[in-house]
Amino acid sequence: MQIEKTVAGVKAQVKAWKKEGLSIGLVPTMGYLHEGHKSLIDRAVAENDRVVVSIFVNPIQFGPTEDLESYPRDLNADSLLCEKAGAALIFAPEPSEMYGEDFTTFVDMSGVTGELCGKSRPIHFRGVCTVVNKLFNIAMPDRAYFGQKDAQQLAVIRRMVRNLNMNLEIVGCPIIREADGLAKSSRNTYLSAEERQAALVLSRAIKTGQAMVQAGEKDGEKVLAAMRQLISEEPLARIDYVEMVKWDTIEIHHRVDCPVLVAIAVFIGKTRLIDNFIQEQTI
Ligand code: PAF
């Protein structure tokens, strides 16, 4: 497995693969890889001839008071995981390689970025769309893989690819959870033992909401109220949002009469965690 730090290095390799007629899968990540990322890499390896994993903590998607500096990094452990999983290349650039001194071009999107994480983190999706666009141009993948845990991000990327007529397929992959239900996240490492226990309130709320919807509850207000109530009983938890939106447009929608995304963001101490479920069918 190759580790490339430069855009030119990745482009040269990718062009050589393309010349041989090989298909390319891209798994964009910020590193500190866990089972969730591994599931994306496994799927990409199964569906493509060569897999590129990008590992880049993208500064322009973090707000000024967020965790850019403290975000966990471990390129050695990440390389081992990628190699074992069968990736062909890791792209691990420095910020200066991605954002030269003359960098002034951004991909901005309205509508689908207005609610949920887009509301709480105003510059976040502009940074995500810009870097993902760059990664697509660098790795030229046939397919790119994103986890459903960042459901709004998945909807945003799908919209971007459609709106800008990009030539690749976006593959969404299911949430991977710890044995006790907590959704896997690199940010789980911030949690103290007590907070780790308290963080289970997220998956419990998701389970509760999902069970209500699957039992036929169509009133979104009732579902959200039950979830908020459950979370408010955990002293270490502070709700950022608990919302129901249309899955394709991410517009607030409190009726289960179309595919809906129920998404939550909750601070456990200082750590902001997210979780969600998607109800595709109306029951
Ligand atoms: O989901 C992430 O880890 C990041 O937002 C992504 C897609 C790698 C862009 O930096």
Side-chain angles (χ1 to χ4, degrees):
M1 191 190 62
Q2 234 170 300
I3 301 182
E4 282 291 347
K5 295 261 178 200
T6 67
V7 171
V10 179
K11 280 193 169 180
Q13 179 58 78
V14 161
K15 276 184 189 157
W17 286 335
K18 294 237 167 213
K19 236 182 173 171
E20 288 179 59
L22 300 174
S23 64
I24 295 166
L26 172 68
V27 183
T29 82
M30 298 206 300
Y32 216 72
L33 305 179
H34 50 67
E35 289 290 317
H37 299 109
K38 188 179 171 296
S39 73
L40 304 182
I41 301 170
D42 287 345
R43 174 102 185 252
V45 167
E47 294 179 352
N48 301 276
D49 297 317
R50 296 289 182 271
V51 169
V52 176
V53 179
S54 64
I55 295 179
F56 179 58
V57 183
N58 175 35
I60 67 166
Q61 71 186 70
F62 288 79
T65 60
E66 292 182 352
D67 57 343
L68 172 62
E69 295 309 322
S70 57
Y71 198 86
R73 293 158 167 91
D74 188 346
L75 187 55
N76 285 337
D78 290 349
S79 307
L80 285 174
L81 184 147
C82 288
E83 176 133 50
K84 256 193 171 165
L89 189 151
I90 289 179
F91 176 42
E94 291 299 324
S96 58
E97 177 70 5
M98 292 294 272
Y99 303 113
E101 272 172 19
D102 70 341
F103 192 86
T104 52
T105 307
F106 295 87
V107 180
D108 214 342
M109 190 188 290
S110 57
V112 77
T113 56
E115 301 292 343
L116 312 182
C117 290
K119 202 171 193 173
S120 314
R121 308 179 70 189
I123 62 148
H124 177 65
F125 285 117
R126 178 173 109 131
V128 169
C129 286
T130 302
V131 80
V132 167
N133 214 308
K134 284 169 70 71
L135 292 168
F136 288 172
N137 289 333
I138 294 163
M140 293 179 272
D142 299 283
R143 294 174 201 86
Y145 296 79
F146 294 87
Q148 189 207 299
K149 188 173 140 277
D150 296 288
Q152 187 177 18
Q153 170 171 280
L154 180 56
V156 163
I157 302 289
R158 285 205 166 118
R159 169 84 61 102
M160 176 180 80
V161 165
R162 203 164 58 241
N163 285 178
L164 299 182
N165 308 104
M166 295 174 157
N167 294 312
L168 80 162
E169 183 192 338
I170 300 302
V171 182
C173 301
I175 297 176
I176 304 294
R177 298 181 180 280
E178 303 285 355
D180 60 8
L182 181 67
K184 300 245 183 195
S185 165
S186 307
R187 289 190 168 98
N188 291 348
T189 53
Y190 296 152
L191 301 169
S192 68
E194 194 191 357
E195 288 170 341
R196 172 68 183 72
Q197 202 53 33
L200 292 176
V201 77
L202 279 93
S203 50
R204 279 211 310 276
I206 290 297
K207 249 190 166 170
T208 299
Q210 192 163 25
M212 286 175 77
V213 169
Q214 285 178 351
E217 181 58 70
K218 296 216 174 298
D219 185 345
E221 302 284 355
K222 281 193 187 154
V223 175
L224 297 175
M227 294 171 69
R228 287 192 185 111
Q229 174 61 33
L230 194 148
I231 299 167
S232 69
E233 285 163 13
E234 169 51 62
L236 294 183
R238 181 169 59 82
I239 292 175
D240 178 4
Y241 63 75
V242 174
E243 260 307 349
M244 181 183 286
V245 296
K246 288 188 182 176
W247 171 218
D248 53 349
T249 60
I250 316 292
E251 290 167 297
I252 303 292
H253 187 77
H254 290 173
R255 188 95 201 139
V256 189
D257 56 2
C258 63
V260 291
L261 162 69
V262 176
I264 66 178
V266 177
F267 284 95
I268 302 292
K270 285 193 174 123
T271 305
R272 184 176 173 280
L273 300 175
I274 56 175
D275 203 342
N276 67 76
F277 70 92
I278 295 168
Q279 181 68 32
E280 297 269 6
Q281 263 93 41
T282 47
I283 294 171

